[in-house]
Amino acid sequence: NLGDDPLSEASLDDIETLLLQADVGVEATDQVLDLLRRRMNEAVVDGSEAINLLKDQLRNLLDAPIKSMGANPLLAPQKGRLNIWLMVGVNGVGKTTTLGKLANLAVRSGYSCLVAAGDTFRAAAVQQLQVWADRSGVPLVANPSANADPAAVVFDAIGAAQSKDIELLLVDTAGRLQTKNNLMEELAKVRRIVDRLAPDAAVESLLVLDASQGQNGLRQAMAFAKAAGLTGVVLTKLDGTARGGVAFAVASESNLPIRFIGAGEGLRDLRPFNSFEFVEALLA
Amino acid sequence: ELSQRFEDAVRGLKGEASISEGNVDSALKDVRRALLDADVSLPVVKSFIAEVREKALGADVVRGVSPDQQFIKLVHEELVEVMGGANAPLAKAEQSPTVVLMAGLQGAGKTTATAKLGLHLKEQGRRALLVAADTYRPAAIDQLQTLGQQIDVEVFSLGADAKPEAIAEAGLAKGREEGFDTVIVDTAGRLQIDTSMMEEMVRIRSAVAPDEVLLVVDSMIGQEAADLTRSFHEQVGITGAVLTKMDGDSRGGAALSIRKVSGAPIKFIGTGEKVEALQPFHPERMASRILG
Ligand SMILES: Nc1nc2c(ncn2[C@@H]2O[C@H](COP(=O)(O)OP(=O)(O)OP(=O)(O)O)[C@@H](O)[C@H]2O)c(=O)[nH]1
Ligand SMILES: Nc1nc2c(ncn2[C@@H]2O[C@H](COP(=O)(O)OP(=O)(O)OP(=O)(O)O)[C@@H](O)[C@H]2O)c(=O)[nH]1
Ligand SMILES: [Mg+2]
Ligand SMILES: [Mg+2]
């Protein structure tokens, strides 16, 4: 029905409902509507033109971080050097699972890969990661002692990666809410160790966001950017009904590119982010 | 911020003699924005606003109370009332064991909540058996067993090669035979649109005839809360909810959506990663949190 008639207040209402229910948030939705309303007040905007306007605006918001960095829209480890990718984020969003998927992608793409069990706190976190590592035949570096210092695990893993000429070191970290200052400081310490021990490594610090979460995602991005020096976002659980609309606020406020999409619990349920596909799914 | 927006909402009412058709709608517009910022699902916001509007316009003028104060009080009271007045405790069956079934999306906090409830019951002098029926997630059974050891509460499972409904059934049998007064069944996270997994949940439910089905929901959840609750309620039937990760700074608007859509009370909140971090749900505190 959107796109059948020229743009009107009624169709703006429909667009507002769609965006709000997709977790785009009140402020970002208002910005989108303002732009459309201004066009509507200048001239008649026919239905299909309105849809294209909307899609372009949404896509541009998501592509802006990559454009502003002049970065490669496709993230891949750089061949022939050490790449270190950290998975960070709040509890239960899919960091460990995503890491498992990335390890598999790395192996299938011909990279030598190593995984570090940086979550030394949660029950059976290391066992969970071990299963994922085994699924791709990737070795795991872990510290078996109870409540080990995650920094120590990362220290050991970087040493192992450097001595074995590993191309991609994937570091799992414990889930943590951004309101916990001591845990955010622990993460900052892990990041400092990476920078200090491997100054020549290509480092990616990826915030894992759960598409089913609401407006808190933006607060997470801002806080984790401070502690872990983020370079990108992975948006998980897009196989559910949630549309991940918080991605717009995160892209525009934190200027972070979305790098991958998690769409399932299986080994292959990960793909590079594509803003065209994302916006189509959002408006479906 | 929500509280700022709420102040803005009632600023329009300051200096007015009473709440009227002329001034209530702009105040309600701000409340609507505030609730959406708090992640309350849009349809729930709409019906809540409509109810508040009716009550606000129908309210008697209270001597000495300005309209803006009266409006704030009304919104707050309405929120508390919708979320269920007094606290609702965990079910207790007439015939032991009480059976509790945990359900919800991936990563919501079900396994942790299962252990938390086990400890909560232990502290009340009750004897819980935790049943590890998640055969999908790597090391899920290990996770519950590790938590059980930490709190010295027994965990039962048949292992990841068994069917979840068989594990649940065998767990209940053990619970009966060995005189546990409560059996809590942990299940795999699942999407409400995953037909085969929802059918599995229905089978697990049939196998153990629970006295309590708790929907475990991450308090950071967005608009999806209403649809999630509706699907689980229609397909499985929920009797209560646990709202987790309340130690964060999410507004937790899902609390309103869950209650509105299912009528089920939120019974507990998770307030941390540790097994001790479980508290009863208090509607007045939640109302203040949602409103900022
Ligand atoms: N449906 C779906 N489930 C997912 C996806 N990614 C992860 N999950 C599930 O989400 C749950 C949590 O995943 P984890 O990888 O343990 O999340 P985490 O962030 O490492 O959790 P913590 O370490 O406890 O903070 C598991 O049941 C996963 O199978 C996804 O893309 N889709
Ligand atoms: N901060 C905080 N973390 C919590 C709370 N409840 C659970 N968690 C964490 O959230 C993450 C997910 O918890 P789980 O118990 O594994 O969640 P689940 O629903 O069983 O996940 P699946 O079985 O994969 O669907 C873990 O890191 C828990 O420690 C809480 O109240 N506060
Ligand atoms: Mg993890
Ligand atoms: Mg679990």
Side-chain angles (χ1 to χ4, degrees):
Chain A
N1 36 25
L2 265 177
D4 290 342
D5 302 316
L7 198 57
S8 63
E9 275 305 329
S11 49
L12 282 179
D13 275 349
D14 288 344
I15 292 172
E16 181 186 46
T17 296
L18 190 146
L19 295 178
L20 287 174
Q21 293 196 294
D23 286 314
V24 173
V26 177
E27 212 172 293
T29 298
D30 280 349
Q31 288 169 12
V32 170
L33 293 176
D34 283 347
L35 189 133
L36 292 175
R37 190 172 285 115
R38 258 181 285 138
R39 289 291 181 95
M40 185 177 85
N41 291 336
E42 289 167 7
V44 172
V45 182
D46 79 25
S48 59
E49 186 188 351
I51 299 243
N52 288 334
L53 259 176
L54 177 61
K55 289 183 179 177
D56 283 344
Q57 201 186 355
L58 294 175
R59 269 201 302 271
N60 290 339
L61 282 171
L62 297 172
D63 292 336
I66 286 285
K67 290 210 177 83
S68 73
M69 291 198 262
N72 185 340
L74 223 61
L75 177 63
Q78 299 173 30
K79 265 298 204 186
R81 73 188 282 204
L82 175 59
N83 294 262
I84 303 178
W85 291 11
L86 287 133
M87 312 304 296
V88 306
V90 300
N91 307 68
V93 292
K95 298 176 293 300
T96 303
T97 304
T98 299
L99 195 153
K101 295 171 182 175
L102 284 171
N104 191 256
L105 187 57
V107 166
R108 281 188 286 122
S109 312
Y111 293 96
S112 58
C113 186
L114 180 67
V115 173
D119 180 352
T120 56
F121 168 75
R122 210 208 65 214
V126 179
Q127 290 99 304
Q128 182 189 9
L129 189 58
Q130 183 73 67
V131 173
W132 279 108
D134 290 347
R135 283 175 178 172
S136 301
V138 171
L140 176 74
V141 172
N143 186 323
S145 46
N147 273 322
D149 183 356
V153 177
V154 174
F155 186 95
D156 290 343
I158 292 176
Q162 288 168 331
S163 68
K164 295 180 185 167
D165 287 333
I166 293 288
E167 289 172 304
L168 179 61
L169 169 62
L170 294 165
V171 181
D172 194 16
T173 66
R176 69 203 67 225
L177 298 183
Q178 71 275 18
T179 46
K180 314 259 161 119
N181 292 330
N182 59 329
L183 297 182
M184 296 307 279
E185 181 44 43
E186 175 189 87
L187 186 61
K189 180 178 169 195
V190 165
R191 181 60 210 257
R192 284 197 295 272
I193 293 201
V194 170
D195 293 341
R196 210 186 63 227
L197 280 189
D200 301 329
V203 178
E204 290 288 332
S205 181
L206 300 172
L207 176 68
V208 181
L209 287 180
D210 184 332
S212 69
Q213 287 184 359
Q215 299 311 297
N216 199 259
L218 179 57
R219 298 174 76 91
Q220 293 168 25
M222 307 309 266
F224 275 86
K226 274 212 184 79
L230 300 176
T231 60
V233 170
V234 178
L235 198 53
T236 62
K237 307 183 195 174
L238 275 167
D239 47 321
T241 54
R243 309 221 165 168
V246 77
F248 296 100
V250 169
S252 49
E253 302 286 324
S254 68
N255 202 35
L256 289 172
I258 302 173
R259 294 309 210 157
F260 296 97
I261 294 281
E265 301 184 75
L267 202 54
R268 301 245 178 161
D269 292 329
L270 186 81
R271 53 179 189 272
F273 177 73
N274 177 314
S275 62
F276 181 86
E277 177 191 73
F278 184 82
V279 171
E280 290 295 309
L282 190 96
L283 300 180
Chain B
E1 284 300 85
L2 187 52
S3 54
Q4 178 60 46
R5 190 155 279 159
F6 204 53
E7 280 191 25
D8 292 344
V10 295
R11 199 170 297 161
L13 292 173
K14 278 193 181 358
E16 297 281 336
S18 63
I19 300 171
S20 71
E21 294 260 2
N23 57 36
V24 76
D25 284 322
S26 79
L28 286 173
K29 205 150 164 266
D30 284 322
V31 174
R32 167 191 148 102
R33 286 180 69 99
L35 293 177
L36 288 170
D37 275 342
D39 292 321
V40 180
S41 297
L42 184 60
V44 175
V45 173
K46 286 182 174 169
S47 71
F48 179 80
I49 293 289
E51 284 160 12
V52 168
R53 186 175 196 280
E54 202 174 330
K55 292 212 166 146
L57 291 176
D60 299 323
V61 178
V62 181
R63 292 192 69 78
V65 181
S66 57
D68 53 300
Q69 287 175 340
Q70 188 176 1
F71 184 75
I72 292 181
K73 188 159 165 293
L74 199 144
V75 175
H76 194 274
E77 279 175 359
E78 186 65 15
L79 258 180
V80 174
E81 185 173 333
V82 173
M83 288 198 294
N87 175 256
L90 191 69
K92 192 166 200 311
E94 282 202 19
Q95 264 220 334
S96 235
T98 299
V99 181
V100 180
L101 179 59
M102 310 295 279
L105 291 176
Q106 289 88 345
K110 298 174 295 299
T111 303
T112 308
T114 300
K116 285 179 177 182
L117 282 173
L119 180 63
H120 169 78
L121 290 167
K122 181 176 178 180
E123 289 169 348
Q124 293 181 340
R126 289 169 63 172
R127 202 167 146 247
L129 175 67
L130 310 181
V131 178
D134 178 354
T135 57
Y136 300 89
R137 170 172 158 154
I141 296 172
D142 283 314
Q143 184 186 4
L144 191 59
Q145 285 173 337
T146 300
L147 291 170
Q149 282 163 17
Q150 284 175 13
I151 56 177
D152 193 25
V153 171
E154 193 164 343
V155 175
F156 170 83
S157 190
L158 293 177
D161 291 336
K163 279 204 177 315
E165 50 269 50
I167 300 174
E169 203 165 336
L172 175 57
K174 174 184 171 83
R176 283 191 183 124
E177 282 165 31
E178 301 185 19
F180 287 91
D181 74 45
T182 310
V183 172
I184 310 175
V185 182
D186 183 26
T187 62
R190 69 202 63 222
L191 300 173
Q192 75 272 25
I193 52 169
D194 185 333
T195 316
S196 62
M197 287 300 278
M198 290 306 282
E199 285 173 353
E200 176 190 274
M201 181 58 85
V202 173
R203 286 198 299 277
I204 297 174
R205 194 215 151 92
S206 307
V208 297
D211 303 290
E212 181 91 79
V213 178
L214 293 177
L215 185 67
V216 180
V217 181
D218 186 331
S219 63
M220 293 178 268
I221 196 172
Q223 289 288 308
E224 197 189 359
D227 184 77
L228 166 76
T229 304
R230 181 170 307 112
S231 297
F232 271 87
H233 194 45
E234 285 175 1
Q235 297 182 58
V236 188
I238 63 177
T239 60
V242 179
L243 203 56
T244 64
K245 308 175 203 172
M246 287 281 286
D247 42 320
D249 58 9
S250 65
R251 294 283 178 42
L256 185 58
S257 306
I258 293 167
R259 177 65 170 179
K260 260 285 183 187
V261 168
S262 68
I266 295 171
K267 298 203 167 184
F268 297 96
I269 58 171
T271 56
E273 296 189 64
K274 303 225 167 85
V275 174
E276 298 77 28
L278 185 77
Q279 289 178 20
F281 175 75
H282 289 294
E284 338 76 42
R285 283 182 219 165
M286 196 71 213
S288 303
R289 178 177 177 132
I290 290 176
L291 291 177

